[in-house]
Amino acid sequence: MQKARKPIEIKISTVVAISAILHETDPAALEKALKDMTGGVSDFFEDEFAVLDIGALEGATAADIDWQALVGLFKAFRLNTVAVRNAPEDLHAGIVAHGLAIDSSAVAGAGAANVRAQETAVQKAAPPAKPAPQPEPPAAPAPAAAPAARTMIVDTPVRAGQRIYARGADLVVMAAVNNGAEIIADGSIHVYAPLRGRALAGASGNTEARIFAASLEAELVSIAGVYRTFENGPPAEIAGKQVQVRLNGERIDVLAMQAA
């Protein structure tokens, strides 16, 4: 007897989204900024998910933000808006009414920080206690061994349309990353073959992450959300060479690695 197929299966999946940090809400101004950013390239964004971060909008009210216009604007640039981050409580109803989720991770972190601040304030306000007699200091314990760094290793080529995410780890790819593929790591990325497609290191905000490639032919590289594109291929001085990509302030540097 053939086993009945389940109508639905639920599995854990990692979703990577672009964070769009808004400094104003005027759709016309945002449209111009997106046009300048993409340079008129229609597939600069390839239907990625987007989270709107409105934490930089001071004193924004429900009347200030046209969610339908914003969602439509980002959709026109092939960005699918799915959630809003750092939204005050009084905006939640309007956000949800437009089919968007509330990303509460940043709010939860702020709440924890407020609790720690309150605890610190209580400790500072408490009257000083009388010093107790100091016991003899115990012998220093042996230093604990540092935990091994996590690494994901991929031995096969990364095909077009394939996305690999090394969550909380470095990513090592031993074969080519093809056009249309996307590799992502919370740590650094090492590719011992031609790197095409897109490579995003430091995806969780690690500004010290780097990308290393035997040959850089990528269309986009990113460190901690700061990105650089190569619509016309990599610069001549690094073409066909082993390179490293690193973050320098708000600029992406691509440097040829010199042979020993």
Side-chain angles (χ1 to χ4, degrees):
M1 180 181 295
Q2 185 176 4
K3 187 177 180 180
R5 185 174 60 182
K6 296 179 180 179
I8 186 172
E9 293 184 53
I10 303 296
K11 296 184 177 180
I12 296 175
S13 177
T14 298
V15 177
V16 177
I18 289 175
S19 179
I21 302 171
L22 302 186
H23 295 280
E24 58 179 283
T25 59
D26 177 25
L30 294 174
E31 181 178 12
K32 182 181 184 304
L34 285 167
K35 284 181 178 179
D36 292 341
M37 181 187 302
T38 60
V41 178
S42 61
D43 60 350
F44 186 90
F45 299 111
E46 298 180 341
D47 299 315
E48 287 107 338
F49 294 120
V51 175
L52 303 186
D53 189 332
I54 63 172
L57 299 176
E58 297 182 0
T61 66
D64 298 327
I65 305 177
D66 185 341
W67 295 111
Q68 184 174 353
L70 290 180
V71 171
L73 172 62
F74 281 91
K75 185 67 175 178
F77 285 86
R78 297 184 62 179
L79 285 172
N80 298 305
T81 307
V82 295
V84 179
R85 180 177 297 155
N86 290 323
E89 187 75 29
D90 58 323
L91 296 185
H92 285 192
I95 293 170
V96 174
H98 285 84
L100 302 174
I102 303 295
D103 184 346
S104 59
S105 57
V107 175
N114 289 338
V115 170
R116 288 192 294 270
Q118 292 169 5
E119 291 174 347
T120 301
V122 170
Q123 291 169 0
K124 289 181 178 179
K130 295 180 180 180
Q134 297 297 316
E136 291 294 326
R150 293 181 56 197
T151 304
M152 175 188 288
I153 299 178
V154 177
D155 291 317
T156 56
V158 185
R159 302 183 302 275
Q162 189 174 3
R163 173 180 284 180
I164 294 176
Y165 179 23
R167 185 182 184 88
D170 290 345
L171 176 62
V172 176
V173 183
M174 305 301 296
V177 178
N178 292 314
N179 290 323
E182 189 170 62
I183 55 174
I184 307 164
D186 286 341
S188 295
I189 292 175
H190 305 255
V191 180
Y192 295 98
L195 169 56
R196 307 180 185 98
R198 297 184 171 198
L200 298 86
S204 60
N206 180 6
T207 58
E208 299 300 318
R210 299 192 183 191
I211 299 171
F212 302 90
S215 177
L216 182 67
E217 304 170 30
E219 56 196 59
L220 179 146
V221 294
S222 170
I223 305 288
V226 180
Y227 62 88
R228 178 174 173 181
T229 59
F230 303 97
E231 290 87 356
N232 300 316
E237 61 269 19
I238 60 172
K241 296 181 180 179
Q242 295 182 354
V243 301
Q244 67 163 313
V245 181
R246 68 184 184 187
L247 187 60
N248 183 1
E250 291 297 317
R251 184 184 74 238
I252 291 289
D253 286 343
V254 181
L255 308 172
M257 294 190 293
Q258 303 296 328

